[in-house]
């Protein structure tokens, strides 16, 4: 199975930037389509962004378009989420997740990381 580990979360002020990283290991193929999701207590897990295996295709939630950028470095087996102009409503635990296809990573990923906390103060 694929193991995913997120890092890069923290406490920042509104308007600041963070870059989250998702490092993959133990995979059975060279690369997987990978998404970012976020969740707060009592709320359903929310889709944030997804990137295809090769990195050419991306998709974003409307709430983060123009502020967040997903990218990947396949040589490093790492997917990134660059978050700019952070808002208090972005506060959540952020998870990365991988799937065997772009659509699977978007809708029903099979592998999840442990999450990293992002807190944005007003």
């Amino acid at each position: 199975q694929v193991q995913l580990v997120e890092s890069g979360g923290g406490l920042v002020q509104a308007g600041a930037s963070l870059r989250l990283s998702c490092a993959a290991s133990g995979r059975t193929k060279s690369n997987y389509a990978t998404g970012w999701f976020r969740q707060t207590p009592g709320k359903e897990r929310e889709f944030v962004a997804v990137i295809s295996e090769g990195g050419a295709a991306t998709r974003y939630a409307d709430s983060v378009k123009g502020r967040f950028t997903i990218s990947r470095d396949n040589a490093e087996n790492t997917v990134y989420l660059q978050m700019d102009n952070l808002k208090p409503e972005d506060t959540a635990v952020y998870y990365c997740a991988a799937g065997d296809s772009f659509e699977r990573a978007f809708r029903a990923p099979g592998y999840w990381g442990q999450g990293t906390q992002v807190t944005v103060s007003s």
Side-chain angles (χ1 to χ4, degrees):
Q1 296 183 358
V2 175
Q3 290 81 50
L4 305 173
V5 179
E6 303 95 334
S7 61
L11 173 62
V12 299
Q13 295 181 349
S17 297
L18 284 172
R19 188 177 73 161
L20 306 183
S21 298
C22 174
S25 63
R27 66 201 193 282
T28 57
K29 67 175 185 177
S30 59
N31 300 105
Y32 286 85
T34 304
W36 286 95
F37 300 78
R38 63 189 183 185
Q39 189 171 29
T40 57
K43 295 181 61 179
E44 185 177 351
R45 200 187 311 271
E46 177 187 16
F47 165 76
V48 176
V50 64
I51 190 167
S52 62
E53 179 181 356
T58 59
R59 185 179 298 164
Y60 297 91
D62 289 342
S63 60
V64 305
K65 285 182 179 178
R67 298 189 299 118
F68 291 9
T69 303
I70 190 169
S71 62
R72 69 188 307 150
D73 184 343
N74 286 341
E76 297 287 338
N77 299 125
T78 302
V79 174
Y80 302 97
L81 184 67
Q82 177 67 42
M83 306 185 295
D84 296 324
N85 191 24
L86 283 162
K87 303 176 180 180
E89 51 263 44
D90 294 319
T91 295
V93 176
Y94 283 70
Y95 300 87
C96 66
D100 292 332
S101 70
F102 186 78
E103 289 296 326
R104 287 177 182 174
F106 173 56
R107 298 187 181 276
Y111 311 101
W112 292 85
Q114 84 291 342
T116 185
Q117 177 71 47
V118 172
T119 302
V120 184
S121 63
S122 60

